[in-house]
């Protein structure tokens, strides 16, 4: 067997702070509000879900594709249909302009054990590309990592 | 006439598979060593359109890409309508061999991607002497599932959208946007349940663990190439498989994912050109 490969990234690939990740996540609704194409793709979606970093999940209310409320969890007796939570290092890597291999997709993160997906997955799966793109918005808006 | 017309020619060949005639659509260009290309699960042979018009490759290879029955412009066989489509190791192998026989190809090279990569391993195990060389892209004896295929075909989820959205993450981020879109378009156009049916082979029926050690590359050279961004068939899956096959060549392709030939044709060319050169050298062509 011959293997011709240059060194590939193995570990957490970027510098970050939990605070920077949490702050970037909190800004997603504003980024989304300015993206008419992405909003249109979610036009039939109404759902309350739990999203974000494992160290600080958010209750996210989506109506007609817009995030109308984002509130840090926990909130007493607040329901959510499904949750997608990833480690801060996973979000930091996912949001890089050129994310490293294995850290570049919501489902590569679940496969590698850096994220968990649970609950009633129907709204997530039926709008999968919408969620991938909404949750990638900090990538397009200059996530700084260690800011 | 001033319009640019590509040199690809598309035709239909009637092929008997498991006792039934299948009308199979194929495209070809070039002359020389026959090179049969197999598309990924749930898509069709348009994935190979860049290779099909490569001026250097087609000087030495007759590049042929066909739509599997139920895919692209190859309809289901007459008896298939109304039944649940399930690709198996046996039916996939029979289809490839019958297609090559129908076109009277002399010891073709077969290059397959994803499920096509898996099946070339089976060709190497059971039918190596029929082929000049085998190339597995995104190929391994087995890989861990990362989603439930039940989501791929149900009335309350758009099949085209979900198939494309699932595989979108398998494309490396470095590729051209238009190539990414075109790759996903193929998934949006698949028939209902076809991607899921292909994955029956990939997930359930086609587990080759424990069988690949019997591959003898002296009968037929075997090349394995996997994109670094493929988290479905990971580079580790391919390297593990190659390690079980004495003499197999394994390469991890940078800046590529699960669809190298369509997601970034120029980058893929860097890796496949030396393989095709090697095959030519071995063939004395």
């Amino acid at each position: 067997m011959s293997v011709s490969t240059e060194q590939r990234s193995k570990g957490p690939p970027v510098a970050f702070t939990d605070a920077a990740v949490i702050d970037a996540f909190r800004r997603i609704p504003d980024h989304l509000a300015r993206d008419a194409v992405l909003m249109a793709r979610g036009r039939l979606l109404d759902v309350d879900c739990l999203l974000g970093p494992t160290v600080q999940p958010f209750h996210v209310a989506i109506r007609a594709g817009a995030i109308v409320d984002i509130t840090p969890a926990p909130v007493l007796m607040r329901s959510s249909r499904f949750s997608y939570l990833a480690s801060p290092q996973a979000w930091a890597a996912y949001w890089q302009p050129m994310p490293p291999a294995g850290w570049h997709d919501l489902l590569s993160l679940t496969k590698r054990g850096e994220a968990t997906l649970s609950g009633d997955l129907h709204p997530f799966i039926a709008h999968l590309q919408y969620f991938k793109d909404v949750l990638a918005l900090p990538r397009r808006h200059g996530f700084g990592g260690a800011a | 006439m001033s319009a640019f017309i590509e040199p690809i020619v598309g035709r239909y060949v009637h092929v008997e598979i498991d006792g039934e005639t299948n009308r199979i659509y194929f495209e070809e260009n070039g002359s020389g060593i026959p090179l049969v290309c197999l598309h990924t699960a749930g898509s069709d042979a348009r994935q190979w359109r860049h290779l099909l018009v490569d001026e250097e490759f087609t000087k030495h290879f007759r590049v042929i890409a066909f739509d599997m029955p139920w895919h692209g412009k190859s309809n289901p066989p007459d008896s298939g309508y109304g039944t649940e489509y399930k690709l198996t190791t046996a039916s996939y192998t029979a289809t490839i061999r019958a297609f090559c026989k129908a076109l009277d190809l002399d010891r073709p090279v077969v290059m397959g991607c994803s499920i096509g990569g898996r099946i070339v391993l089976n060709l190497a195990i059971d039918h190596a002497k029929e082929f000049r060389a085998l190339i597995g892209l995104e190929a391994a004896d087995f890989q861990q599932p990362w989603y439930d295929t039940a989501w791929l075909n149900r009335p309350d989820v758009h099949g085209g959208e979900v198939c494309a959205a699932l595989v979108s993450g398998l494309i490396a981020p470095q590729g051209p946007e238009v190539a990414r879109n075109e790759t996903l378009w193929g998934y949006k156009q698949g028939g209902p349940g076809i991607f899921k049916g292909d994955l029956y082979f990939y997930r359930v029926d086609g587990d080759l663990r424990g069988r690949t050690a019997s591959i003898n590359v002296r009968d037929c050279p075997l090349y394995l190439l996997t994109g670094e961004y493929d988290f479905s068939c990971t580079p580790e899956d391919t390297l593990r498989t190659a390690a079980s096959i004495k003499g197999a060549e394994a390469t991890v392709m940078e800046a590529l994912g699960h669809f190298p030939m369509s997601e970034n044709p120029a980058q893929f060319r860097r890796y496949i050109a030396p393989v095709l050169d090697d095959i030519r050298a071995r063939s004395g062509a």
Side-chain angles (χ1 to χ4, degrees):
Chain A
M1 182 184 68
S2 69
V3 178
S4 57
T5 179
E6 294 169 20
Q7 188 173 9
R8 295 187 304 117
S9 173
K10 293 287 184 190
V14 297
F16 69 95
T17 66
D18 287 357
V21 170
I22 292 166
D23 183 59
F25 205 91
R26 205 189 295 268
R27 294 172 190 268
I28 287 176
D30 292 337
H31 300 321
L32 176 60
R34 292 194 292 273
D35 191 325
V37 173
L38 199 43
M39 290 268 285
R41 267 204 272 137
R43 67 194 179 282
L44 300 180
L45 177 62
D46 295 332
V47 70
D48 295 325
C49 50
L50 192 68
L51 304 172
T54 47
V55 294
Q56 179 54 76
F58 290 90
H59 287 285
V60 175
I62 299 173
R63 300 291 179 269
I67 296 178
V68 296
D69 184 57
I70 180 167
T71 301
V75 176
L76 193 62
M77 300 186 81
R78 176 79 64 93
S79 296
S80 54
R81 187 111 176 250
F82 72 91
S83 73
Y84 181 93
L85 302 177
S87 65
Q89 71 175 11
W91 289 117
Y94 184 63
W95 290 336
Q96 293 306 298
M98 201 57 70
W103 301 81
H104 62 289
D105 184 73
L106 295 186
L107 297 178
S108 67
L109 295 176
T110 57
K111 188 178 183 189
R112 72 182 304 136
E114 289 287 332
T116 55
L117 183 58
S118 59
D120 173 9
L121 302 190
H122 183 269
F124 178 79
I125 297 289
H127 295 84
L128 181 57
Q129 195 61 54
Y130 167 87
F131 279 106
K132 285 186 177 187
D133 292 345
V134 167
L135 295 176
L137 281 168
R139 181 186 302 156
R140 279 168 35 197
H141 292 272
F143 172 70
Chain B
M1 187 169 65
S2 60
F4 172 68
I5 297 178
E6 296 183 16
I8 298 171
V9 173
R11 303 176 76 182
Y12 290 89
V13 59
H14 289 214
V15 181
E16 186 166 314
I17 303 167
D18 294 334
E20 184 165 13
T21 299
N22 283 255
R23 184 170 174 263
I24 291 184
Y25 178 72
F26 69 101
E27 298 181 338
E28 67 170 299
N29 184 34
S31 59
I33 299 169
L35 170 59
V36 176
C37 302
L38 309 175
H39 58 75
T40 63
S43 189
D44 61 58
R46 283 174 294 178
Q47 293 178 322
W48 297 101
R49 73 177 183 88
H50 298 281
L51 196 85
L52 277 158
V53 296
D54 190 292
E55 290 186 4
E56 286 302 312
F57 296 157
T58 53
K59 281 180 189 169
H60 308 286
F61 290 88
R62 179 185 175 193
V63 184
I64 305 165
F66 70 96
D67 292 342
M68 287 278 291
W70 303 77
H71 300 69
K73 294 171 80 169
S74 296
N75 288 339
D78 290 349
S79 69
Y81 292 99
T83 66
E84 183 183 4
Y85 168 71
K86 274 187 181 178
L87 186 68
T88 65
T89 307
S91 65
Y92 199 1
T93 302
T95 298
I96 297 162
R97 295 178 74 210
F99 177 80
C100 293
K101 186 178 177 190
L103 291 191
D104 201 21
L105 303 179
D106 176 27
R107 292 189 68 229
V109 179
V110 175
M111 171 160 59
C113 186
S114 184
I115 59 167
R118 177 76 64 80
I119 203 65
V120 302
L121 294 174
N122 194 60
L123 296 178
I125 292 168
D126 286 336
H127 306 286
K129 291 185 176 174
E130 296 176 24
F131 302 98
R132 193 175 309 240
L134 293 164
I135 306 169
L137 308 176
E138 321 308 317
D141 54 4
F142 175 80
Q143 56 250 35
Q144 285 297 329
W146 49 281
Y147 64 92
D148 181 355
T149 61
W151 288 107
L152 299 177
N153 185 29
R154 45 186 281 171
D156 58 350
V157 176
H158 189 292
E161 294 279 15
V162 74
C163 291
L166 276 164
V167 303
S168 68
L170 299 178
I171 297 174
Q174 293 89 349
E177 186 67 20
V178 67
R180 174 188 189 83
N181 288 335
E182 189 174 301
T183 299
L184 296 180
W185 188 250
Y187 278 84
K188 292 177 181 178
Q189 291 191 307
I194 300 309
F195 187 26
K196 182 184 176 195
D198 282 339
L199 294 180
Y200 178 79
F201 160 69
Y202 212 39
R203 295 272 187 94
V204 181
D205 189 62
D207 186 341
L208 296 180
R209 285 177 292 184
R211 296 190 62 210
T212 50
S214 68
I215 293 174
N216 185 346
V217 300
R218 282 173 298 185
D219 290 336
C220 176
L222 175 66
Y223 306 84
L224 302 176
L225 302 94
T226 291
E228 64 172 338
Y229 276 86
D230 188 347
F231 69 86
S232 181
C233 175
T234 65
E236 289 73 20
D237 291 325
T238 298
L239 297 175
R240 180 198 66 240
T241 303
S244 73
I245 306 166
K246 191 176 177 186
E249 299 274 342
T251 301
V252 177
M253 301 183 287
E254 294 182 351
L256 286 167
H258 194 71
F259 311 94
M261 62 288 185
S262 66
E263 69 175 65
N264 194 339
Q267 178 72 352
F268 176 57
R269 196 185 192 289
R270 288 180 49 203
Y271 290 99
I272 202 62
V275 171
L276 296 180
D277 284 347
D278 193 48
I279 292 170
R280 274 180 59 206
R282 288 171 187 255
S283 298

